Amino acid sequence: MKTTLATPLDESLIRDEDLRARLEAARGKFAFDSMARVLVSEQRQRDEAAASAEAKKAALAALPRDQRRRAIARETIEADGPSPDSLRYMPTPLAICGLPYRRLDHLDNGEYVREQGRMRVVVTPGYLTDPTGKRIQQPIPWGPKARLIMAHLSTEALRNKSPTIETATSFTGFLRDMGYERTGGERGNIKPFKEQLQALAACRMEIAAWNGKQSATVDVKPFGKMQLWFSDNPEQQSLWPSTIEFSKDFYEQLQKHALPIDIRILRALSNSARRLDLMLWVTYRITRLPEKLVLNWQPLKEQFGEGYTRARAFREAMSEDVAVLKELFPKLPIKLTERGLEMEAADPSALAIPKRKLIS
């Protein structure tokens, strides 16, 4: 009868330090060969997992920046789920009506008007004063950075239960949360964020709501106070302010009406004002729907079609935007049809918003 010899074990296949330590601890003991083979198998499983993770990392790195951010957001939300610590807040009127997508250089009557349903926001530009006493007109706040700043400052105020925000200490963390490196200079990202903050600080907002029987209007400056420091370097101009204070009326409205959104979603959509607006608007509507809703293409274009003159081009853009939202939340109950945007009611958890609120 022929005896089959076991294949000699190659101990060099076991490389990780903890596995080598377990191997040496078992050496000379009963069933050492069996333990060694188990460790070889464990090492192989680790190597396969590491190779898979490296391939996944390489595939992620090869994606365009915005798509990569969305992929990371979806993965972390699916893995970690909703968390109160991940919530950020946007003033509800701005979440519903929004701000301009692009810089507005020529305004009719010097104001920007956006109306949605039974709510309207009117924004007028204002002035800031430089160290010589000169009044410098600011633009109407616009683009994704204005929205991200407002979400950050609103959240800080609500978390600390104070209208005053220490921006000097929170700004670096804010940039990191949004996926930006803090860079100065003419082409750095501090300058455009600072410009939008100054525009927000200078502007005035008229917020109106009505229901057919009564109406309410609040006419406020979002910020009651912002102290600007100026550099001797003419290229640097004003520095980032150390503190910002919401006006009393605006802060009170914020305490009553603030819409939550996950920080991972803000980060994923931080390069598009329209997609941020669409995500905020959808969040507001589907968590309050009593029944299925269809928003026709015309009001859809009035809400999100800034910059589009051709209906076909807008429809194509909206198709891409809705696909992006579905990429982040595959079970989101919205879809585009020939009639327009169809939506069904959804629990906040479908948008990574926990039932336990951040604000007590």
Side-chain angles (χ1 to χ4, degrees):
M1 180 175 180
K2 187 176 181 180
T3 302
T4 302
L5 299 177
T7 304
L9 179 71
D10 183 359
E11 293 185 9
S12 66
L13 295 175
I14 306 171
R15 300 182 308 282
D16 290 358
E17 290 185 7
D18 62 321
L19 299 184
R20 294 293 305 181
R22 288 165 59 188
L23 179 70
E24 294 306 320
R27 192 178 297 281
K29 297 180 181 180
F30 176 73
F32 170 77
D33 284 350
S34 296
M35 172 59 71
R37 295 181 188 285
V38 167
L39 294 176
V40 167
S41 177
E42 192 169 338
Q43 180 71 71
R44 184 179 299 112
Q45 292 174 6
R46 288 186 181 185
D47 292 346
E48 291 173 353
S52 176
E54 193 62 31
K56 185 177 181 180
K57 182 179 178 181
L60 199 62
L63 294 175
R65 184 192 63 178
D66 291 348
Q67 190 176 350
R68 181 168 64 250
R69 287 181 173 180
R70 296 196 298 270
I72 293 172
R74 176 179 172 180
E75 182 178 342
T76 56
I77 288 173
E78 288 180 348
D80 302 337
S83 167
D85 293 335
S86 294
L87 290 185
R88 300 297 183 268
Y89 285 85
M90 192 73 171
T92 299
L94 294 184
I96 298 173
C97 295
L99 293 167
Y101 296 156
R102 300 174 180 83
R103 184 184 181 102
L104 304 180
D105 294 318
H106 304 289
L107 293 172
D108 293 334
N109 301 319
E111 63 183 23
Y112 173 78
V113 182
R114 176 65 67 83
E115 191 171 303
Q116 169 59 217
R118 296 179 176 181
M119 182 174 290
R120 178 171 57 239
V121 171
V122 181
V123 186
T124 54
Y127 291 82
L128 293 179
T129 301
D130 73 9
T132 67
K134 181 181 178 182
R135 297 176 75 226
I136 302 175
Q137 185 171 14
Q138 304 298 310
I140 285 178
W142 55 275
K145 292 179 174 59
R147 290 158 169 81
L148 298 177
I149 290 171
M150 185 58 79
H152 168 67
L153 296 177
S154 298
T155 304
E156 289 293 303
L158 292 172
R159 276 179 170 168
N160 298 319
K161 298 181 179 180
S162 170
T164 302
I165 305 105
E166 300 289 337
T167 55
T169 56
S170 67
F171 181 61
T172 298
F174 158 66
L175 286 178
R176 185 172 57 250
D177 277 349
M178 292 300 112
Y180 292 95
E181 294 292 332
R182 179 169 180 158
T183 56
E186 188 63 28
R187 296 186 178 181
N189 55 38
I190 294 179
K191 181 178 178 181
F193 275 106
K194 181 178 62 181
E195 289 174 343
Q196 291 306 314
L197 176 60
Q198 293 177 177
L200 284 165
C203 78
R204 176 171 289 277
M205 295 184 182
E206 175 193 309
I207 301 169
W210 59 92
N211 62 13
K213 295 182 179 180
Q214 60 184 2
S215 65
T217 301
V218 179
D219 190 6
V220 296
K221 283 180 64 67
F223 302 129
K225 181 179 179 181
M226 182 174 81
Q227 188 168 14
L228 289 174
W229 296 90
F230 287 79
S231 170
D232 293 332
N233 182 348
E235 294 185 359
Q236 195 171 23
Q237 298 180 353
S238 62
L239 304 177
W240 191 260
S242 57
T243 60
I244 293 175
E245 185 176 322
F246 280 113
S247 66
K248 180 177 180 295
D249 288 342
F250 194 88
Y251 179 63
E252 289 177 353
Q253 289 295 313
L254 179 63
Q255 289 178 304
K256 296 175 183 176
H257 308 290
L259 185 72
I261 186 171
D262 193 283
I263 179 63
R264 294 164 291 191
I265 299 305
L266 287 178
R267 187 185 303 126
L269 303 177
S270 61
N271 201 41
S272 172
R274 188 175 64 249
R275 288 174 180 175
L276 284 171
D277 279 3
L278 181 61
M279 186 76 255
L280 289 163
W281 183 83
V282 165
T283 299
Y284 179 84
R285 295 306 296 265
I286 69 172
T287 54
R288 291 163 173 80
L289 280 180
E291 57 186 15
K292 183 176 180 179
L293 171 70
V294 179
L295 185 66
N296 295 330
W297 278 105
Q298 185 55 39
L300 196 62
K301 187 175 187 300
E302 291 172 358
Q303 176 72 4
F304 301 107
E306 181 182 321
Y308 287 94
T309 56
R310 294 170 53 242
R312 181 177 178 181
F314 170 69
R315 289 194 179 202
E316 291 174 353
M318 278 300 296
S319 296
E320 293 177 5
D321 294 342
V322 169
V324 164
L325 267 56
K326 297 282 284 187
E327 183 181 337
L328 291 166
F329 297 113
K331 296 181 180 180
L332 196 65
I334 65 172
K335 63 180 180 180
L336 280 176
T337 67
E338 285 300 314
R339 292 195 295 169
L341 183 63
E342 298 186 8
M343 297 176 284
E344 297 181 13
D347 187 89
S349 60
L351 296 153
I353 300 172
K355 293 183 179 180
R356 182 167 67 88
K357 294 183 179 180
L358 175 66
I359 309 167
S360 58

